[in-house]
Amino acid sequence: MLQSLLAFVAAAVIVAMVPGPSTVMIMRQAVRSGRRAGLATVLGNETGVLLWGLAAAFGLSALLVASRVAYDGMRIAGACVLIYFGVRSLWKVRKGRAQVEPREPVPARSLWQSCRAGIVTNAANPKAGVFAVSFLPQFVPHGAPVLATLVLFSVLWALIDMVWYVGIVWLVARVKRVFERPAVRRRLEQISGIVLVGLGIRLAAESR
C-alpha cells in the first residue's frame, strides 16, 4: 500500500504541474482580482477535481467512457464555457474595461464568482472524468478495498493539486507590482482570453 501511495503522489504532482484551462483561469482571476480571488478559484477548481475523483470511485464518470453521446455533450459544453470566458476577457480589453478589482477587500460576491469559475472550468471538462477513470484505479494495490482506496486517492489528488495552484497564486501575488500596471493587466487579460478561446476550440475539435 505504501509503495502504491508514493507512486500515486508522484504521479499526481506531475499531473498538477501540466498547464491547462484551470491554470489559465486561476492565474487570470489572481491577476484581475488579487490573491483572495485566486485562492477562491483554486478552491472551486479542487472541488471539481474532487467531484471527478469521487465520480470515478463510484463509477459515474465511467459513463463518459462508455457513452459517446455523453462524452461529446460534455465536450461541447466545456468548450462553450472556455470560449465564453475567453471572449468575455477579449471583449473587456476591446472596450477598455479590463480593470482589476481592488486587491483588498474583495467582496464576498466576487469570491463566490471566482470559486464558481473554478468549479465550472474543471467540471465542464470531460477529459478530467476520463482521466480520473484511467488514472486512479491503476494505483489501487491488489487486495485493497477498491472504493475506500479510490476515495482516499481522490482526496489526495485534490490536495496535491491545491498545493500546486496555491503556489501559483502566491507567485502571482509576489510580483503583483508588475501586474498592477494597466498596460500589463490589459495584455495579460488579452493573452488569457486568447488562450481560453484556443483551448475551447481545441476541446470542441478533439475526439476521444
Side-chain angles (χ1 to χ4, degrees), residues 1-149:
M1 183 63 182
L2 180 58
Q3 184 177 1
S4 297
L5 184 61
L6 293 176
F8 173 78
V9 169
V13 170
I14 294 173
V15 169
M17 295 174 65
V18 176
S22 295
T23 307
V24 178
M25 181 59 65
I26 289 168
M27 293 186 67
R28 173 179 176 268
Q29 294 300 108
V31 169
R32 290 182 64 193
S33 303
R35 184 182 66 255
R36 293 180 64 195
L39 293 175
T41 311
V42 172
L43 181 60
N45 182 75
E46 302 323 312
T47 300
V49 168
L50 183 59
L51 289 176
W52 279 124
L54 294 177
F58 288 95
L60 299 178
S61 57
L63 292 173
L64 295 176
V65 179
S67 173
R68 179 61 181 266
V69 174
Y71 180 86
D72 286 344
M74 283 289 294
R75 178 170 57 84
I76 297 302
C80 291
V81 168
L82 293 177
I83 292 173
Y84 167 75
F85 281 128
V87 169
R88 190 172 67 172
S89 292
L90 294 174
W91 181 255
K92 286 183 178 181
V93 172
R94 181 179 176 82
K95 289 297 184 179
R97 293 186 289 110
Q99 301 296 324
V100 178
E101 300 171 9
R103 296 287 181 178
E104 298 291 347
V106 180
R109 181 169 179 268
S110 296
L111 291 178
W112 162 240
Q113 288 175 339
S114 295
C115 182
R116 184 178 60 186
I119 295 174
V120 171
T121 301
N122 189 282
N125 185 3
K127 286 189 172 183
V130 175
F131 179 77
V133 171
S134 60
F135 177 64
L136 298 179
Q138 63 181 298
F139 294 97
V140 178
H142 179 70
V146 177
L147 180 59
T149 304

Side-chain angles (χ1 to χ4, degrees), residues 128-185:
V130 175
F131 179 77
V133 171
S134 60
F135 177 64
L136 298 179
Q138 63 181 298
F139 294 97
V140 178
H142 179 70
V146 177
L147 180 59
T149 304
L150 287 177
V151 170
L152 172 63
F153 284 169
S154 299
V155 174
L156 285 176
W157 184 19
L159 290 175
I160 291 169
D161 211 53
M162 178 181 291
V163 170
W164 171 254
Y165 284 124
V166 166
I168 290 179
V169 173
W170 176 84
L171 181 61
V172 170
R174 292 288 293 178
V175 295
K176 65 179 182 180
R177 290 185 178 179
V178 176
F179 294 137
E180 285 173 351
R181 300 172 185 174
V184 174
R185 292 182 186 179

